[in-house]
Amino acid sequence: MKEILILRNGRVLDPGASLDAVKDIWIRDGIIVNPGKGMPESAEIVDVSGCWVVPGLIDMHVHLRDPGEEYKETIESGCRAAAAGGFTGVACMPNTNPVNDNGSVTRYICEEAQKAGFAHVYPVGAISQGSRGDKLAEYGEMKAAGAVAFTDDGLPVHDSQLMRRAMEYSLSHGSLIMSHAEESSLSRGGCMNEGETATRLGLQGIPNAAESIMVYRDIVLAELTGARVHISHVSTAESIELIRQGKARGVGVTAESAPHYFMLTEEAVTGYDTHAKMNPPLRSQKDLEAVRHALTDGTLDAIATDHAPHSVLEKDVEFNYAANGIVGLETALSLGLSLVREEVISPLRLVELMSTSPARILAVSGGSLAVGSPADITVIDPDKKFVFDAQKSFSKSANSPFSGWKLQGRAVLTLLGGKVTHRELSAP
């Protein structure tokens, strides 16, 4: 790479600066710098006319499966998929094997991510030892090794006293608690949303209350302790209303939802498609509309993928026995852009949801194009049309309900500290 890289004539979108303007971005030694006078002979110029130039996308909820289930995903393959999707940073959940509940596993994740070099990886440590929900894990050790938050994601923390202690403990470490909100005595045995569709298909349903009860508990505990709590993969209208009320009271609660909850309903399960099986399950049209509205009014702070790779061994089975989850890193941006085309949200709001807010909530670098910032940048062609083929993705798994969909808009250049990690633009 030449000394200076110039992204020329792009539509620069930077929510932190309320900036939406056509301009050039100059990068020197991996840092965004002020444009100089004249065009240096040493500059590499990339014409990005017609494209958006935005702070690198940050996904605050992915499963990289490494260590332990590398046949589904490795840290390297997950980071390649992230870069292809326009992400420069991902926060990975601790439900690996072994569980990321100690400094050794956290350090392993950081070291493998450093070797791969395609994205920043922010490990999220377990709330409890082994995510068993009975004893707190060692937060200080994990934080010293690089953990940015704590959760037992994949499993709820049943014991309210333990969750209270986790929040109190997080305060002394200045860390975030992420909540997998599920009352499992209500969800046990269920495999899709509770309602008419489940009855018609003869499948046991999971009621909205299985999520909202625990959302209520964790907001109340955050209010009691003064801790920050982030509600993961929100799927129901009731949960959204509880989050809205909590924010109005000044509780330190933030929340995310995922593209499948604003693009699909429980009807996607018809035909017993295991690629539509996830936890929490796809919900009703009313819930989908509530998620979309909450993305506009600020109740939801972030769009995350809950990228959950599974092989055919876990998905090509009867619906009841199939694993939950889908891959999402390479479709999230395109699906988010559909909300912009439908005028549900503005371009700046989309960038805020997928970059600026996740950086703020996780307290990591990024989410900004300010001079002096690392050049973690995503260039998006909002008009580029393509058919997504999960079998050709960079992930090692292909469990996506969006495979075969005609999509519009994707990342065509991803820079990590000025280094190209994904490129579909022609070379200058």
Side-chain angles (χ1 to χ4, degrees):
M1 187 174 71
K2 293 186 177 180
E3 180 184 2
I4 296 177
L5 173 65
I6 300 174
L7 303 177
R8 173 173 267 185
N9 290 329
R11 180 181 176 184
V12 178
L13 295 160
D14 186 356
S18 299
L19 176 64
D20 182 352
V22 174
K23 59 181 293 186
D24 297 343
I25 294 288
W26 286 41
I27 299 162
R28 183 195 295 270
D29 297 329
I31 302 295
I32 298 172
V33 298
N34 277 316
K37 295 181 179 178
M39 198 65 67
E41 291 183 2
S42 60
E44 176 184 357
I45 300 170
V46 180
D47 186 354
V48 292
S49 301
C51 293
W52 298 358
V53 180
V54 309
L57 306 184
I58 298 172
D59 189 342
M60 59 186 303
H61 192 145
V62 305
H63 299 267
L64 294 179
R65 307 304 190 199
D66 183 0
E69 293 181 314
E70 291 85 352
Y71 68 99
K72 297 182 180 182
E73 195 78 287
T74 63
I75 290 171
E76 180 178 357
S77 66
C79 289
R80 282 181 181 270
F87 292 96
T88 56
V90 296
C92 61
M93 299 298 108
N95 57 339
T96 48
N97 185 15
V99 170
N100 182 17
D101 64 356
N102 62 79
S104 295
V105 178
T106 307
R107 277 191 293 276
Y108 166 81
I109 293 169
C110 293
E111 289 167 2
E112 291 300 304
Q114 187 71 26
K115 289 179 195 171
F118 289 95
H120 300 296
V121 174
Y122 305 113
V124 179
I127 284 176
S128 64
Q129 295 177 24
S131 289
R132 292 185 293 271
D134 50 10
K135 294 180 181 176
L136 292 177
E138 181 46 65
Y139 297 1
E141 182 183 319
M142 287 186 282
K143 183 163 185 182
V148 298
F150 301 99
T151 182
D152 277 353
D153 187 69
L155 295 168
V157 176
H158 295 292
D159 188 318
S160 298
Q161 184 71 304
L162 188 80
M163 192 58 149
R164 174 183 179 173
R165 298 302 179 213
M167 290 188 187
E168 291 171 341
Y169 204 19
S170 75
L171 285 171
S172 60
H173 293 282
S175 296
L176 175 73
I177 292 293
M178 300 175 72
S179 167
H180 173 111
E182 178 182 358
E183 171 44 74
S184 55
S185 64
L186 287 172
S187 63
R188 187 177 302 126
C191 57
M192 69 168 294
N193 187 46
E194 184 174 285
E196 290 183 10
T197 306
T199 302
R200 174 165 49 84
L201 296 175
L203 296 173
Q204 185 169 332
I206 300 172
N208 284 20
E211 178 179 298
S212 57
I213 285 174
M214 292 294 258
V215 169
Y216 177 78
R217 183 201 71 172
D218 289 343
I219 291 174
V220 170
L221 288 177
E223 194 166 18
L224 174 67
T225 61
R228 291 192 300 134
V229 65
H230 178 81
I231 310 296
S232 300
H233 43 55
V234 173
S235 70
T236 76
E238 294 86 348
S239 299
I240 288 167
E241 184 55 33
L242 290 166
I243 294 162
R244 185 175 288 124
Q245 292 173 8
K247 286 189 170 189
R249 296 198 304 274
V251 181
V253 57
T254 54
E256 73 191 32
S257 191
H260 37 279
Y261 298 119
F262 62 73
M263 294 298 296
L264 300 173
T265 70
E266 59 194 331
E267 289 301 318
V269 176
T270 301
Y272 304 95
D273 182 0
T274 58
H275 289 163
K277 185 182 180 188
M278 50 202 79
N279 185 28
L282 298 173
R283 301 290 188 178
S284 68
Q285 185 66 32
K286 182 191 77 171
D287 296 303
L288 178 148
E289 290 170 1
V291 168
R292 286 181 168 217
H293 181 66
L295 291 170
T296 69
D297 73 1
T299 303
L300 290 173
D301 302 88
I303 293 174
T305 66
D306 198 3
H307 177 81
H310 290 294
S311 75
V312 293
L313 297 174
E314 290 84 21
K315 282 293 192 181
D316 193 13
V317 297
E318 285 184 45
F319 194 88
N320 281 335
Y321 301 109
N324 292 307
I326 67 170
V327 294
L329 284 166
E330 293 173 69
T331 53
L333 175 59
S334 304
L335 297 170
L337 284 165
S338 69
L339 297 181
V340 176
R341 286 194 300 278
E342 294 176 39
E343 298 183 344
V344 175
I345 55 176
S346 69
L348 271 177
R349 177 62 178 158
L350 178 66
V351 179
E352 183 179 21
L353 288 162
M354 298 189 72
S355 178
T356 310
S357 284
R360 172 179 54 82
I361 296 166
L362 293 170
V364 299
S365 65
S368 169
L369 294 175
V371 169
S373 300
D376 295 346
I377 296 173
T378 304
V379 178
I380 300 165
D381 182 343
D383 300 318
K384 187 164 188 173
K385 296 178 180 176
F386 66 103
V387 176
F388 177 63
D389 183 349
Q391 297 294 339
K392 295 180 180 177
S393 73
F394 287 89
S395 174
K396 294 183 76 171
S397 296
N399 49 307
S400 171
F402 302 112
S403 192
W405 278 39
K406 295 178 181 177
L407 300 175
Q408 181 177 337
R410 66 188 304 174
V412 291
L413 181 66
T414 309
L415 301 176
L416 182 70
K419 173 191 165 190
V420 175
T421 55
H422 178 75
R423 183 170 194 158
E424 295 183 21
L425 284 170
S426 300

